[in-house]
Amino acid sequence: MPADLTIRTMTPHDLALTLDWAREEGWNPGLEDAAAFRCADPDGFLMGFVDDEPVAAISVVAYGTAFSFLGLYICRPEFRGKGYGWALWQAGLARLETVAPGGTIGLDGVIAQQDNYARSGFVRAHRNIRYGGLSMVDTPPDPRLNRIGQGLFPTVRDYDRAFFGVDRELFLKSWLAPDARTHMGFALIEDGALRGYGAIRACEEGFKIGPLFAEDDESADILFRALAGQAKGRMVYLDLPEPNEVAARMAERYELSPEFETARMYRGTDPKLPVERIFGITTFELG
């Protein structure tokens, strides 16, 4: 590790700063992401300092001991090439080896870093594509649509596990907490059974839909329109796994276009998530 680098767990202020860096990188995080991120694992965010100046960041969020997710890996441009980012990367992986030994680590890596991640043992599972465009749809008047609130949360939490692989209750409680200004979620319930759910949140630019999990393409389409209808006339973005061709056709049907890509990569056992039912990834930062 460079002798002049100090690494510590982020404070709430540090995490807010990191999300500002993410905006500068063009990642367009949500306006209220920080609170939900910290709920997932408050000790899972590391920042590097040189002479008390923040220079690099990484998130290494552990969802219990079986699965972790790495993201928000940023080194400020003027400090790149000096070993600070690499030192923080090593510290992040060391943290996960301590709190989640032997567990799988996932990440959504940008193109420029995928070879570097592969050298650290990460194996590519599939591409993710970000679609974006102006929302021109209305929320359908479908009686099966329900706003997600406290009464529905336990059902949604249990449903979510099949799509994420592990429990993430604390994160979801914050992520799905209704706030008409910045975010909301819908569940589709038919004959007493949950057919899917999704959420939309305000970002620096427009709104992002994620997650969007559904049993079939019809359910996903209804949920997409319910969510995108909340942002009609504004930009909406949807991050989807490329193997789900039905999700891509849905995005294109509503005139969203590919804008950005990452690769889902794992170190450890691939959880083999049901990508055919994943129509929208929650967030590239936390999985």
Side-chain angles (χ1 to χ4, degrees):
M1 187 170 77
D4 56 347
L5 182 70
T6 300
I7 296 174
R8 73 174 189 223
T9 302
M10 290 187 202
T11 65
H13 172 79
D14 296 334
L15 181 53
L17 177 62
T18 300
L19 291 172
D20 285 340
W21 294 352
R23 293 184 186 99
E24 293 169 4
E25 294 289 327
W27 297 354
N28 196 24
L31 299 181
E32 303 294 336
D33 281 0
F37 284 6
R38 284 183 57 82
C39 285
D41 180 1
D43 296 324
F45 301 88
L46 304 180
M47 179 168 276
F49 297 82
V50 174
D51 295 329
D52 291 326
E53 182 175 2
V55 300
I58 195 169
S59 62
V60 280
V61 169
Y63 296 95
T65 59
F67 183 70
S68 306
F69 206 84
L70 187 153
L72 286 175
Y73 182 38
I74 306 172
C75 186
R76 290 171 58 191
E78 62 269 34
F79 291 98
R80 292 172 186 171
K82 302 177 185 295
Y84 300 136
W86 174 241
L88 198 61
W89 170 268
Q90 292 177 303
L93 291 181
R95 192 248 172 186
L96 292 181
E97 288 167 1
T98 299
V99 300
T104 294
I105 306 171
L107 61 80
D108 286 325
V110 297
I111 294 174
Q113 292 294 332
Q114 288 168 21
D115 288 343
N116 291 332
Y117 299 151
R119 283 192 282 271
S120 291
F122 286 83
V123 177
R124 178 171 165 155
H126 56 76
R127 287 204 308 165
N128 302 315
I129 309 295
R130 172 166 294 168
Y131 281 78
L134 195 66
S135 172
M136 298 302 292
V137 301
D138 293 303
T139 297
D142 193 316
R144 297 174 297 171
L145 286 169
N146 294 263
R147 292 282 181 94
I148 297 175
Q150 289 185 351
L152 272 177
F153 179 77
T155 301
V156 170
R157 174 202 62 206
D158 295 345
Y159 183 81
D160 180 86
R161 187 182 181 111
F163 298 86
F164 196 71
V166 294
D167 180 84
R168 52 175 178 170
E169 178 174 2
L170 296 178
F171 168 78
L172 287 177
K173 276 185 176 178
S174 180
W175 194 256
L176 298 177
D179 184 334
R181 296 177 302 105
T182 58
H183 55 279
M184 65 183 62
F186 284 94
L188 186 70
I189 300 176
E190 185 173 9
D191 296 329
L194 186 62
R195 301 291 299 170
Y197 90 93
I200 187 168
R201 72 195 197 279
C203 297
E204 184 75 11
E205 178 187 353
F207 291 75
K208 281 186 188 174
I209 293 173
L212 179 51
F213 303 150
E215 293 303 295
D216 51 50
D217 57 340
E218 179 188 4
S219 300
D221 184 277
I222 293 169
L223 284 163
F224 175 85
R225 286 184 286 136
L227 295 162
Q230 303 300 306
K232 186 175 181 180
R234 290 171 284 185
M235 290 294 294
V236 295
Y237 301 91
L238 179 69
D239 299 332
L240 57 88
E242 187 185 41
N244 189 337
E245 296 177 0
V246 175
R249 289 196 296 270
M250 180 186 72
E252 291 166 1
R253 183 162 62 248
Y254 295 111
E255 300 187 15
L256 306 188
S257 302
E259 294 195 348
F260 179 74
E261 74 172 74
T262 66
R264 174 60 58 92
M265 306 178 77
Y266 296 108
R267 191 168 93 166
T269 303
D270 185 332
K272 302 294 184 183
L273 300 178
V275 292
E276 72 281 358
R277 294 188 291 148
I278 296 175
F279 292 81
I281 295 164
T282 306
T283 163
F284 285 157
E285 290 77 29
L286 264 69

